[in-house]
Amino acid sequence: MKIDFTVNGKPHTVDVAPDTPLLWVLREHLELTGTKFGCGRALCGACTVHVDGQAVRSCAYPIEYAQASQVQTIEGLESDRIGEAVVNAWIDLDVVQCGWCQPGQCMSAAALLKANQSPDREAVDASMSGNLCRCGTYSRIRQAVDLAAKNLREGAE
Amino acid sequence: MSGAKPQPASKISRREMLESLIGGSGLVLALAYGRPLRAAVVKQSESLATDFVPNAFLRISPAGEVTVIAKHDEMGQGIHTGLAIAICEELEQDPRQVTVIPAPADPAYGNSAYQVQVTGGSTSSWSSLEQMQQAGAVAREMLVAAAAARWGVDTSACEARDGAVHEKSGSRQLSYGELAVDASRQPVPEDVVLRERKDFRRIGKPTPRVDSADKVRGIAKFSLDQRVPDMLTAMVVRCPFFGGTLKRYDVSRAEAFPGVKAVVRVPTGIAVVAEGYWPAFRARELVEAEWDAGAGGSLDTGELRKLYHEKAKQPGMVARNDGDAIQALSNAELTVEATYELPFQAHAPMEPLSCMVILKEDGGAKIITGSQMLGADHPAVAARLGVDPSRVEFQNSLLGGGFGRRANPQSDFTIEAVEVALAAKSLGRPIKTVWNREDDLHGGWYRPMYLNAIKAGIDNGKIVAWHHRVVGQSIAKGTPFEPLMVQDGVDQLSVEGVADMPHGIPNLTVELHTISLPVPVLWWRSVGHSHTAFAKESFLDECAHAMGKDPYQVRRELLQGHPRLLRVLDLAADKAGWSKAPAPGVGRGISVHESFKGFAAHVVEASVENGRPRVHRVVVAIDCGLVVNPDQVVSQMEGAANFALSATLGSKISFSQGRVEQSNFHDFSIVRMNEAPDIEVHIVASDDEMGGIGEVGVPGVASATCSALFEASGRRIRRLPVEDQLA
Ligand code: FES
Ligand code: FES
């Protein structure tokens, strides 16, 4: 099946089985390997991307649903100021350990900050709990979301 | 009760064991085929002709790019940064401006503690710090000599600083890049003087990770991300029973699936080779396979528990015997008794396993993988291919978590990938064998299931007898290493953490029953300590309650004469506010444990909410001796706490009718953000011997958590994970 869609602002056409998860189209056809695979069943969040502004688990998102949509991946996250603030906060606080989960964490965090400029701990915990980190970097993820939110608020003043 | 030196039955250390197993196993190991160091590095790049390559760990290009070749695998622990810091300390270079790449398979990169190329045992920092400082110092001396020659001055008139050589009295300076070509022609100094600790400029100072930005941005390459032109993806149908065999199979539907290139028989099952993950995955579901369950067909966790309990009633192999524990127990005023159980545990690194094999015309291969143990994988692949190891090239990657799973002396996933490539050789294309999460959780190589049965005798408020039986599988048994790692029937990895307990108890017996099961097992972050510390520290808590004493004070009394343990214990208690009562409804537990030459104490605050355990706060004190990068020690302690909490609260591998009951993260439950506690880490400023870090933060968490839950609820958890036991 032919799918036309946009990834990080660039138009793409792929011809794949319609049930192919967006994840594998990104990783294997477009060679955008920043989006990670951790479970394949929407249980870990490693594959989180934005489709038309919504955070989705790309491992469980058949490519046919992406027809004509705008996809943003970690490789394009820094194109807006929220994404940039998230990435910078993550780097500033050395959140990563192995790093495998972190692009997905950043995508979820950016989606959260787009919806809520000043998330409290409960809001952070609630919207980040779909993203597993086997290395256990949760404390720093919380701090990084707070830092990104703070920098965004200050930058907006 | 001051510290009688522990007297394990066998005093052989893990390091000595590995050394002897490596030296004496008769396997072709990395050390057997040395190549010149320079050759090892030359493989890394084509542009080396003009690079300055003073040793295997470093190269500097004329453009000024400084590249560190990392002998230890980066799996999250920050070792790439640590190695860079150690080199840069002496090289006089900003560690933030170096590139760190994984080393190829080569004896030059052998772990100095084990003499084989492996990252494990929390050895990386302490075993290579000086070697890296030396590598940097040698390079610096050669750069200085090159500058002195260029200026026609004595080397004493020159000084290396921040990536350049400066003339002390003048204003002349030359960058390392400008000196690279000349430095290559300088003789390699035989002796270099290393800076003293007090003069360190970079070691011990907080340094940002070298890999943060690329990992966050998704640019960093892990094994699963590695791509080469024309590559295919394979997935393997494996036997659902350990030790089973393939009886009958039909692959016609799988073969007909669009995108499938071949379906081939391999020793571990049937491999589907296809144009990418999705066709491989879908077609694999179409393989019809019937299995003879074999020995593993009857595995059942309930039955195993019964077997373990039965075994624990009988005397085992003696791992340690001080005084007469049986006699002392029968004379004691008060006896305490408890049994602790821990399940099989999967490593579940976040990045599933994968390994790419590119077969070469000369019979060799290039392997692109994510391994903690190239020292085993390299000779194993060469042996399987029947070629000299020099024909097998390894390209390692960043590891999306390891925890021991990628350090398999039997090279399971590497050899399987080679088998797939060989079976599908006629395709003439590179093949990456990929595991998904189900494969990972079903695939074995777990931390063994263990039981610890302990009795203590108490007289006059003191523990005078301790009788401890461990039941579990041996990690070494059934491997070619058995004769070397198992001493007098005792696998030291099964009893570490208790056979060497330093508590000065005069009558102490530790026994081991090694169970034979068809389940393949492996070291899991903190290895034997992951179960012995839970048992020992939980039981100490029970003894404290039986004596009506404060669990912190009981430990203080028992550990007199062990200043490093006492120091972390006191620090954790102090920072946690042990002397003040916790908030209402909140219980508190404490533990202290030595492992991998590191010392850690934990205080955990927890409560029970709606029958569910809730951990609020973890306070960690750590003494690992000299610290290379303090923020990464903090990071490791934070991560270790959550990793250990997962195994304490929710994750396990269990069996029913021979099958593993868990399949993915819905039923292999690891801590999520909403369950993650606040974690405070306090590092002891220590001039003592350098020790481990990565694993040291794990052992003490489970017992401190369960002790806290006991204080909160009055219910003692003696079987992990807690799951719904408090409901
Ligand atoms: S890989 Fe998609 S949620 Fe885990
Ligand atoms: S950093 Fe390793 S899984 Fe999150």
Side-chain angles (χ1 to χ4, degrees), chain B residues 384-401:
Chain B
R384 176 62 189 90
L385 295 176
V387 298
D388 188 82
S390 61
R391 299 233 171 129
V392 179
E393 181 194 346
F394 267 82
Q395 180 184 330
N396 214 349
S397 316
L398 294 167
L399 315 187

Side-chain angles (χ1 to χ4, degrees), chain B residues 129-147:
Chain B
L129 182 75
E130 208 173 289
Q131 186 184 28
M132 292 305 112
Q133 288 171 271
Q134 240 146 17
V138 163
R140 182 199 64 223
E141 294 294 296
M142 292 166 78
L143 289 158
V144 166

